[in-house]
Amino acid sequence: VGRLIPPKAPDFAVRAFGRFISNGGEGELHIYGDGPLRSSLEKLSMSVLNVGAQRRSGTVIFHGNVPNGEVLKALDSADVMLHLSFREGGSWSMLEAMAHGLPVVCQRASGMDDMVTDDCGFKIAASNPDSLIEEAAGRLMEYYSSRDLLRAHGVEAQKRVASIYRWENVSDQ
């Protein structure tokens, strides 16, 4: 969810999702937002999900800019937020996802490192692009393989938002 620009690293999310699919996962990656990278991301998504003429068991869906209510509704049917941005002071979209009970897979960087704990998601400390893609794909596979872990992290994500990021608590702090 957000502007499709290089610092947000949507190409890494698409590549990680493609790796997850090639490792045996199944699912859909929904991308909300628009920007200068959209066209190249659409091409990238087709290439990472195709093997010869055979389509893999994954789909990338581009929604473009939509009203926030539509994004919030989509969060109710999602499983995980994949947010591989390189820098975020804080991410409203991550907090909204967590408030909807979604665990987050993100980089161990800037504000994201403070927002997500080991109880409510996975933070990746990547040393290079390939390791970021591999680890994100591996973390998605952990959730795919363990619905119990997915639910537990989702519950803790929701608790974290309620206990720390509610306006009343923020103003008290």
Side-chain angles (χ1 to χ4, degrees), residues 22-73:
S22 70
N23 291 341
E26 296 178 281
E28 298 175 343
L29 175 63
H30 291 261
I31 298 178
Y32 288 88
D34 219 333
L37 295 180
R38 181 167 178 169
S39 177
S40 63
L41 290 170
E42 289 172 340
K43 291 174 187 163
L44 176 64
S45 69
M46 288 188 288
S47 72
V48 300
L49 294 175
N50 283 319
V51 176
Q54 184 176 5
R55 186 127 176 104
R56 301 230 178 166
S57 55
T59 306
V60 179
I61 301 166
F62 292 86
H63 297 274
N65 289 328
V66 299
N68 193 52
E70 191 173 322
V71 174
L72 296 177
K73 184 177 177 183

Side-chain angles (χ1 to χ4, degrees), residues 7-8 83-95 98 104-117 120 122-124 160-161 164-165:
K8 299 279 189 178
H83 187 80
L84 298 180
S85 180
F86 286 105
R87 62 174 184 243
E88 295 275 338
S91 170
W92 285 111
S93 61
M94 276 178 42
L95 287 180
M98 292 168 67
V104 176
V105 176
C106 64
Q107 290 207 56
R108 183 179 298 277
S110 58
M112 299 170 296
D113 194 24
D114 293 329
M115 297 170 93
V116 175
T117 66
C120 63
F122 291 118
K123 298 185 284 188
I124 300 167
R160 183 162 175 76
V161 170
I164 294 177
Y165 293 103

Side-chain angles (χ1 to χ4, degrees), residues 79-80 101-105 118-122 138-157:
D79 291 316
V80 177
L102 300 182
V104 176
V105 176
D118 294 339
D119 294 333
C120 63
F122 291 118
R139 297 308 189 168
L140 290 175
M141 187 58 76
E142 284 185 60
Y143 285 135
Y144 180 73
S145 301
S146 175
R147 298 304 283 181
D148 290 340
L149 178 63
L150 178 74
R151 278 189 289 278
H153 278 188
V155 166
E156 290 303 316

